[in-house]
Amino acid sequence: MTAAPDFSVIVPVYNEEENLSHLYARLSSVMEKLGTYEIIFVDDGSRDRSWQLIKELHEKDDRVKGVSFSRNFGHHIAITAGLDYAKGKTIILMDGDLQDQPEEIPKLWKKLCEGYDLVYGIRKVKKDSLMKRFNSFLFWWFLNKLSGIDIPRNQTLLRIFDKKILGVLKDMRERARFIHGMIAWTGFRIALLEVEHAPRERGVSKYNTIKLFRLAFNAITSFSTLPLRLATYLGLFSSGIGFFYALYFLYKKIFLGIPVLGYASIIVAVLFVGGVQLLILGIMGEYLGRVYQEVQARPIYILKEMALD
Ligand code: UDP
Ligand code: MG
């Protein structure tokens, strides 16, 4: 049994064969100056040679560890697996595409030593495409409005935190996972630090608008039941309209003697109320689905192979 390393660096990897060796080289040279460390690559069911490369790195350097999923489970689940296997006293998370810069780690570490439990890397300038920036603006805006917890905007995955947060995160076994929110939820003492965030040089982004939308939805439903209350508000609103509309027609009929022509108003009312009802049903269905998934209590991820010792 070897002693716990000072640092565990967790890196989720999905089809990053072009980036792995560069990442390994840059990360190792940074970490060597900081203390003892392990790098845990979590292969999220890559279809390229990523897992092969991780195993080769592990053969060469036993500070490199890896686990491999049976299929693609998603970014945040990959991070979860990394957390499960981390043994270090301080945990570092970063993406595997070299957008998060390993060279920023010492700065984060210095800040952490000032007496924080967690330091987030916040990106200074966004070097993504306009579409991606727009998506991410919407994402953070909605999230902060609806989730009810303060999740720092523009955070990169790059962050460093103490082992005690690791303990809490390991205890949170929900299936719908949004790591950024889960970490914010723990409520420890945090600091924000601006870091360089590079554009992706190799490979392609694995997030598209749909995946991001899914993530946002996951995030919102995991941290807020506000959408459920929407039913009450919308119900009040539409029955209010219906009530006043009825009064108006009665007035017209009784006092002015104008017959009410029903067709258009009926269609409008039917469509409006029907739409609202379906929307609400959909939202309730989402939460019900969430409950169903949790009740099934399946494993969060399935490992295919490990390269740990
Ligand atoms: N990733 C993953 N599983 C996925 C999608 C992405 O492990 O299903 C990894 C990916 O390899 C990268 C990180 O998560 O290391 C961030 O993904 P990406 O760079 O594609 O996202 P973006 O930076 O474009 O938001
Ligand atoms: Mg990226």
Side-chain angles (χ1 to χ4, degrees), residues 13-20 43 45-53 206:
V13 172
Y14 181 49
N15 297 343
E16 303 287 358
E17 59 182 1
E18 296 115 310
N19 287 311
L20 275 170
D43 166 40
S46 297
R47 290 193 199 142
D48 63 359
R49 294 182 54 246
S50 296
W51 179 237
Q52 243 56 46
L53 295 175
K206 278 90 201 175

Side-chain angles (χ1 to χ4, degrees), residues 11-16 42 44 72-75 78 94-97 99 128 132 197 200 204-207 211:
V11 187
V13 172
Y14 181 49
N15 297 343
E16 303 287 358
V42 183
D44 186 9
N72 181 242
F73 278 85
H75 189 194
M94 67 183 296
D95 277 341
D97 56 358
Q99 289 195 269
D128 285 323
K132 209 162 158 67
H197 191 72
R200 208 181 225 283
V204 289
S205 169
K206 278 90 201 175
Y207 273 104
K211 250 187 164 172

Side-chain angles (χ1 to χ4, degrees), residues 187-253:
F188 284 99
R189 275 193 310 162
I190 62 154
L192 311 179
L193 191 74
E194 284 201 336
V195 292
E196 286 297 334
H197 191 72
R200 208 181 225 283
E201 274 169 23
R202 300 173 208 87
V204 289
S205 169
K206 278 90 201 175
Y207 273 104
N208 50 31
T209 308
I210 295 173
K211 250 187 164 172
L212 205 65
F213 188 78
R214 232 9 281 169
L215 184 69
F217 207 87
N218 252 342
I220 290 162
T221 50
S222 305
F223 288 95
S224 165
T225 48
L226 191 72
L228 282 175
R229 255 173 286 146
L230 206 67
T232 323
Y233 301 144
L234 280 175
L236 278 176
F237 176 69
S238 72
S239 50
I241 289 182
F243 180 69
F244 286 110
Y245 211 39
L247 283 186
Y248 168 69
F249 280 136
L250 273 179
Y251 170 78
K252 258 172 99 172
K253 175 94 180 125

Side-chain angles (χ1 to χ4, degrees), residues 41 99 131 133 143 175 180 187 219 241 279 309:
F41 288 112
Q99 289 195 269
M131 185 64 188
R133 278 181 1 222
L143 197 60
R175 262 127 275 271
H180 302 303
I241 289 182
L279 177 79
D309 9 61

Side-chain angles (χ1 to χ4, degrees), residues 25-180:
R26 281 173 58 186
L27 187 57
S28 307
S29 79
V30 168
M31 294 311 297
E32 255 150 30
K33 294 185 198 110
L34 288 183
T36 55
Y37 66 92
E38 60 179 2
I39 302 174
I40 303 177
F41 288 112
V42 183
D43 166 40
D44 186 9
S46 297
R47 290 193 199 142
D48 63 359
R49 294 182 54 246
S50 296
W51 179 237
Q52 243 56 46
L53 295 175
I54 293 168
K55 280 196 292 192
E56 279 168 32
L57 289 173
H58 173 69
E59 293 298 315
K60 223 170 54 180
D61 178 351
D62 63 4
R63 290 170 297 190
V64 175
K65 314 209 152 120
V67 291
S68 169
F69 286 174
S70 61
R71 63 169 167 86
N72 181 242
F73 278 85
H75 189 194
H76 291 229
I77 296 185
I79 298 167
T80 305
L83 294 169
D84 288 343
Y85 287 94
K87 298 213 169 62
K89 298 177 192 125
T90 302
I91 313 296
I92 297 165
L93 303 183
M94 67 183 296
D95 277 341
D97 56 358
L98 283 173
Q99 289 195 269
D100 293 333
Q101 306 288 299
E103 292 75 18
E104 300 282 359
I105 292 174
K107 287 189 218 157
L108 293 172
W109 169 235
K110 213 173 126 217
K111 188 87 188 164
L112 191 82
C113 293
E114 287 173 16
Y116 294 99
D117 298 312
L118 181 139
V119 182
Y120 287 104
I122 303 292
R123 54 178 118 189
K124 271 184 228 162
V125 219
K126 293 224 173 157
K127 293 183 183 142
D128 285 323
S129 68
L130 201 65
M131 185 64 188
K132 209 162 158 67
R133 278 181 1 222
F134 178 68
N135 281 344
S136 103
F137 169 77
L138 272 187
F139 177 74
W140 290 111
W141 188 82
F142 260 109
L143 197 60
N144 272 303
K145 281 274 168 293
L146 287 177
S147 71
I149 43 175
D150 189 16
I151 305 174
R153 269 178 206 214
N154 290 343
Q155 52 178 279
T156 58
L157 182 63
L158 184 63
R159 67 199 53 202
I160 185 166
F161 53 88
D162 189 86
K163 208 165 115 185
K164 60 184 171 223
I165 297 188
L166 177 72
V168 180
L169 290 176
K170 276 164 110 170
D171 280 343
M172 296 164 80
R173 301 316 286 176
E174 63 245 50
R175 262 127 275 271
R177 305 184 78 79
F178 176 60
I179 297 281
H180 302 303

